[in-house]
Amino acid sequence: MFCYQCEQTAQGSGCTNFGVCGKSPEVADLQDLLIHVAKGISMYAHRARALGASDEEIDSFVIESLFTTVTNVNFDEDSMEQMIRKAEKIREKARNLYLNAAKEKGITPDELNGPATFELAKDRSGLLTQGEKVNPESRAQRWGDVIGGLHDLILFGLKGSAAYADHAQILGKKSNEIYGGFHAFMDYLSKDSFTEEELLQKAIEFGNFNLKVMELLDEANTEAYGHPEPTKVRVTPVKGKAILVSGHDLRDLDLLLKQTEGKGISVYTHGEMLPCLAYPKLKKYSHLVGNYGSAWQNQRSEFDEFPGAILMTTNCIQKPKDSYKDRIFTTGLVAWPGVRHIGPDKDFSPLIEAALAQSGFSEDGPEHYITIGFARNTVLSVADKVIDLVKQGKIRHFFLIGGCDGAKPGRNYYTEFATSVPKDCLILTLACGKYRFNKLEFGDIEGIPRLLDMGQCNDAYSAIVVAKALADAFETDVNSLPLSLILSWYEQKAVCILLSLIALGIKNMRLGPTLPAFLKPKVISYLSENLGLKPITTPAEDLKAILG
């Protein structure tokens, strides 16, 4: 295996024996092979679409294939092999779609090869051998580190973007333009050769595309559940039976809340599910009582101590301890060997039964609340006041301190940075990186909270809308605002957000705790020279550089 798609990759260069995330070499190889076949599907689907032919099953499958290979989603060999076998059938369906469309138009179809005609092995052993030949290391050997890394920069961005598109389509929001975009980029990545210049340009083109995907997800979430609103959230337990929901998926939480009504079970969010408590149509459930725990990387200790059942939606799962393996469940694309899976019918009865069988919390914890729900609608509703405070000199600077949390050393930087921000500055935050400081007290500036939690990583669109609106109000561009972006990254959703920020031309971003292994020094140099992208140093040094 060779995997370097996340921040915790071994020795900062790549996992070669076993994934630091817990991914086995077999799963890694099968995931690389699935992506290779998915490229072949898109080669046909992209050409069919140009002739006016499309198929929703084909479109959805490519997105699911990309998403299932995101870090901390699918760790199960059997389900990965099943997806590959399905991919072979979907590829044939896409081929026929293209050939029939070409015949109807009276044109000669392109003769495709590579991923489009790649013949899969008949047994798993053969699939594993094939997977080894299409991993990132093989691309670097073929094209060199820089071109291989730039190819993977776009591919990893597509994986992150596919997570957003999948959430949107689950809520019924689908877009032919976006489906077509995924096929077009996957078709492009199936080429035999590239240049550095075209790959960099393509990465920026993808960044603009991902903005549309994020906008679609924002529409899906807000149309289904309303716009998030400022909400006090309990972060200590209440007495009684309990279910903990982690991951990112709003619909899974909604369905579970419906099925647990009247059963005497309290439901808690965990990790990136915390922002769900600010959506009007989710927080209406009285048994959605609060948030338990912190970010994904602490789940093994937090789940161990939680006296109820646990549901993992989307990504973020870690290897379960034996102590809670019989009461943790997965659903959607998430899978772990030996963990019970809730299928597409979303019948959560086994999860509910497991919760009722557990002791639950024996007493209420001491009351402690935090306030969340400062998404774009809320922030823009007080934009005039914020602008006035800036003009009066009462708000000096805005800091967006957000992104993924993780387990590697160095992430205490974000706590130190947030607590060092001067009291005349506002802090915007989103994604699970906020757990480094979101339970601390930051006070307010004339009624405006100094810490504004804008939601999940999936809600990055909100921050972009706010930044653009402030720029318009000050009749300038985003780079001229008193705004600095201090970003933490972990997996592929952070990659697609970074590419969107780059596409918007946002400069002088600081990224940490380390720079991606797939961005080679030559690429980092390019991004540094052209956009001022730089690694974090120390909170004191970075604050001094920003504020003077």
Side-chain angles (χ1 to χ4, degrees):
M1 70 174 289
F2 182 87
C3 183
Y4 64 173
Q5 68 179 8
C6 81
E7 188 269 337
Q8 66 180 6
T9 191
Q11 299 179 337
S13 57
C15 296
T16 56
N17 295 317
F18 209 92
V20 173
C21 66
K23 182 167 59 179
S24 70
E26 291 79 12
V27 168
D29 291 336
L30 291 173
Q31 288 185 351
D32 288 331
L33 183 58
L34 175 62
I35 293 299
H36 188 69
V37 182
K39 287 179 181 177
I41 296 170
S42 287
M43 291 169 74
Y44 290 119
H46 174 60
R47 287 162 176 79
R49 208 173 212 92
L51 299 176
S54 62
D55 181 279
E56 193 170 295
E57 183 185 25
I58 294 169
D59 297 338
S60 296
F61 184 80
V62 169
I63 285 172
E64 290 172 0
S65 295
L66 286 161
F67 187 11
T68 203
T69 66
V70 166
T71 303
N72 289 20
V73 177
N74 193 331
F75 294 81
D76 185 66
E77 277 184 58
D78 291 341
S79 66
M80 285 307 310
E81 182 175 358
Q82 288 168 15
M83 284 201 75
I84 290 170
R85 298 303 178 193
K86 184 176 179 179
E88 189 172 30
K89 295 175 182 176
I90 295 290
R91 186 179 61 179
E92 184 62 20
K93 185 177 185 180
R95 176 178 176 274
N96 290 332
L97 183 73
Y98 172 48
L99 294 180
N100 290 335
K103 184 177 180 180
E104 287 180 11
K105 296 288 185 181
I107 65 172
T108 302
D110 294 341
E111 287 201 20
L112 303 180
N113 49 37
T117 56
F118 182 82
E119 186 174 345
L120 287 165
K122 302 303 180 185
D123 58 19
R124 184 176 297 182
S125 176
L127 295 177
L128 294 172
T129 300
Q130 290 177 326
E132 291 177 8
K133 295 178 180 177
V134 292
N135 68 18
E137 190 173 42
S138 70
R139 291 192 283 273
Q141 291 170 349
R142 183 179 181 187
W143 298 318
D145 282 349
V146 174
I147 285 179
L150 285 169
H151 168 285
D152 291 341
L153 172 65
I154 298 170
L155 175 59
F156 298 160
L158 281 167
K159 290 185 178 189
S161 193
Y164 299 145
D166 188 62
H167 285 300
Q169 70 181 8
I170 284 171
L171 289 173
K173 276 289 181 180
K174 301 172 184 180
S175 163
N176 278 325
E177 179 186 6
I178 285 171
Y179 284 139
F182 275 102
H183 291 312
F185 282 108
M186 289 288 276
D187 174 69
Y188 171 77
L189 293 180
S190 71
K191 288 176 31 169
D192 289 326
S193 62
F194 305 90
T195 67
E196 294 173 20
E197 293 74 18
E198 69 168 330
L199 280 164
L200 281 166
Q201 188 57 44
K202 207 71 177 178
I204 293 171
E205 182 184 327
F206 166 76
N208 282 313
F209 166 77
N210 184 60
L211 287 170
K212 297 176 182 177
V213 181
M214 289 196 294
E215 182 179 16
L216 185 73
L217 176 57
D218 181 85
E219 289 177 7
N221 286 340
T222 55
E223 287 181 14
Y225 301 111
H227 284 275
E229 53 193 27
T231 304
K232 282 183 64 178
V233 171
R234 183 171 180 136
V235 292
T236 51
V238 296
K239 183 178 178 179
K241 305 290 186 178
I243 290 176
L244 187 61
V245 185
S246 194
H248 299 78
D249 197 275
L250 276 63
R251 182 172 178 268
D252 284 336
L253 177 62
D254 185 23
L255 294 173
L256 175 64
L257 289 167
K258 286 184 172 72
Q259 293 179 40
T260 48
E261 277 191 297
K263 288 186 164 57
I265 299 173
S266 294
V267 177
Y268 299 79
T269 61
H270 178 270
E272 284 274 61
M273 295 299 285
L274 166 63
C276 296
L277 289 145
Y279 283 90
K281 292 183 181 179
L282 291 175
K283 69 177 186 175
K284 70 177 183 180
Y285 293 97
S286 60
H287 62 301
L288 180 61
V289 297
N291 190 73
Y292 176 90
S294 55
W296 68 272
Q297 78 277 3
N298 300 319
Q299 67 184 251
R300 281 167 59 83
S301 60
E302 292 172 353
F303 290 2
D304 191 26
E305 295 170 0
F306 185 77
I310 303 147
L311 177 66
M312 293 301 306
T313 73
T314 69
N315 55 315
C316 288
I317 193 171
Q318 289 183 298
K319 181 180 181 180
K321 288 185 177 180
D322 290 340
S323 58
Y324 61 82
K325 197 170 184 180
D326 64 338
R327 54 187 174 90
I328 185 172
F329 297 76
T330 59
T331 193
L333 294 173
V334 191
W336 192 283
V339 169
R340 284 179 286 179
H341 189 79
I342 305 294
D345 63 352
K346 300 297 180 180
D347 178 1
F348 291 114
S349 298
L351 171 73
I352 294 167
E353 290 169 6
L356 292 171
Q358 298 299 312
S359 63
F361 290 101
S362 60
E363 60 183 8
D364 291 349
E367 288 193 26
H368 184 198
Y369 294 85
I370 61 174
T371 302
I372 64 169
F374 296 97
R376 59 187 174 88
N377 264 29
T378 296
V379 176
L380 293 180
S381 71
V382 294
D384 290 344
K385 182 175 182 179
V386 171
I387 292 164
D388 189 49
L389 290 171
V390 172
K391 289 179 177 177
Q392 292 179 47
K394 294 181 178 178
I395 295 178
R396 179 172 31 150
H397 205 85
F398 300 87
F399 290 92
L400 173 60
I401 310 174
C404 311
D405 205 358
K408 281 179 74 172
R411 289 182 180 267
N412 59 313
Y413 166 95
Y414 297 95
T415 311
E416 293 174 18
F417 192 102
T419 54
S420 301
V421 168
K423 296 190 184 300
D424 58 356
C425 301
L426 293 184
I427 299 170
L428 309 175
T429 191
L430 50 80
C432 62
K434 62 174 166 269
Y435 279 107
R436 292 282 165 172
F437 48 82
N438 70 336
K439 291 173 185 167
L440 304 177
E441 181 55 53
F442 287 89
D444 65 89
I445 300 176
E446 296 200 3
I448 304 293
R450 287 191 56 234
L451 179 65
L452 301 172
D453 183 348
M454 304 191 78
Q456 297 181 336
C457 60
N458 294 11
D459 299 316
Y461 179 75
S462 257
I464 291 169
V465 170
V466 168
K468 284 183 170 181
L470 288 175
D472 290 342
F474 284 106
E475 298 181 346
T476 185
D477 61 18
V478 173
N479 288 312
S480 299
L481 288 173
L483 169 68
S484 298
L485 276 64
I486 315 298
L487 308 175
S488 56
W489 84 284
Y490 172 68
E491 41 91 322
Q492 296 78 65
K493 284 186 278 186
V495 175
C496 69
I497 293 169
L498 178 64
L499 287 172
S500 287
L501 295 173
I502 289 171
L504 288 168
I506 296 177
K507 297 181 178 180
N508 301 316
M509 296 180 283
R510 286 170 166 78
L511 182 65
T514 59
L515 294 177
F518 49 85
L519 289 184
K520 302 306 174 186
K522 188 172 182 179
V523 180
I524 293 292
S525 177
Y526 171 87
L527 295 175
S528 176
E529 291 170 10
N530 289 275
L531 292 167
L533 180 69
K534 52 181 71 72
I536 58 172
T537 58
T538 67
E541 289 174 4
D542 289 342
L543 273 168
K544 183 178 180 181
I546 292 166
L547 296 175

